Amino acid sequence: MKLKYLAGTVVPALIVTVMSSCSGRTEAAAEEITCHLDTVTVSAGSPVLSKLIIEEALEEPFSSEFRTVGTVQAETGRFAEVCPPFDGRIMNSSVRLGRRVRAGETLFEMSSPDFLESSKVYFQNVRNYEKAKADQERQAYLHEAGIISQKELSEAVVAAENARQEMESSAAALRVYGVDPSDLKLGQPLKVTAPISGEVAFNRVTPGSFVKTDSEPLVTIADLGRVWVTALVKERFIGVVSKGGSVEIFTEADPDKPVFGTILNVGNLVDEETRSVQVVVSCDNSDMKLKHGMYVSVHFLSEPVNTVVLPSTAVFQGETSSFVYVCTGSDLSFVKRNVVVGQSSDDNTRICIENGLEPGEKVLVEGGLYLND
């Protein structure tokens, strides 16, 4: 049977020349290595002995780890693109690239016929409501004096309520565009304000230019003091990540200095194409080392757990399970033992043994390819 390292390294030439079955081995090789059931014995004078390395299985702290690629994004509510709310011409601007702005601060002013029309509608609705309200009060007075009927008073109340709703509706339409109706004056330019506090990361505002509502964003504001790193984690690694866990972030610009983050959320949906789960990591970015949209390397590392750990070269994959060669009392005889393996180290040189091996047992960690079953 062909053997391979669990890490995936196959040695076909060695298998052909050395790992032939017991019945097919040459007579000389048969004298050097004999096998009975799951036990393999190497003769005392065999040159194979120099190829074998035996170590005692020890229990040690082991952290499951792996790396994947992530994308830097601004936290929700800390990134905003500003588009013109109406078609119009930009009159003046206070926007400067790299300048910090406060939420509600005016970025630029523009002259817009559509905004002017919306302002006129609002003021007209205000006047209609004031007139309807005054009419309602007059009708209430006449009703108390017995001059008009209850029906006439009710009609006045309904008219006043309808007028109030029209006024509120037009006021709400203005608030959507950051306009405070209480400070609005007819004919004033439209003031486009910053929706969030942050730094102007992009600016294409040009005074005098005509812009439309369907144009590209004119200003981008970002607060990147804290950022999210979104990474896709394969199904087999889900057990390694948990909310609140620590993560190391590495950039190409500074690959040896990690940025530390905390797992904010582990998604519950598996992408059907990539078989991955989205994991969001929150990172302090006060030094602005992480840029919005940047690709980074994300190093996930679980809390250390005491377990038996072996070199990956000690573990082989059979047809149905993984196994190792355990010494049976001497350094010449080995028995094949099935084991349950866990996560491997980030460089695949060490592997965790979850079941099948006890601390203190002697295991063949190098040269197992010279033995066969």
Side-chain angles (χ1 to χ4, degrees), residues 7 27 75 122 147 158 181 216 251 255 264 269 297 309 347-348 356 366-367:
E27 184 177 349
E75 289 187 348
Y122 169 71
I147 299 175
V158 171
E216 295 293 325
T251 65
L264 182 67
L269 301 178
S297 174
V309 181
D347 57 3
N348 289 323
E366 288 283 355

Side-chain angles (χ1 to χ4, degrees), residues 299-310:
H299 182 204
F300 290 92
L301 187 67
S302 67
E303 290 295 324
V305 177
N306 284 334
T307 186
V308 174
V309 181
L310 293 176

Side-chain angles (χ1 to χ4, degrees), residues 195-238:
I196 63 171
S197 298
E199 182 179 297
V200 177
F202 177 77
N203 173 34
R204 57 190 297 265
V205 176
T206 304
S209 62
F210 186 84
V211 293
K212 306 187 71 174
T213 56
D214 59 355
S215 65
E216 295 293 325
L218 298 179
V219 180
T220 298
I221 300 172
D223 182 359
L224 301 179
R226 290 199 66 83
V227 295
W228 287 349
V229 174
T230 302
L232 291 179
V233 176
K234 295 292 186 182
E235 284 181 281
R236 67 179 183 273
F237 294 125
I238 294 302

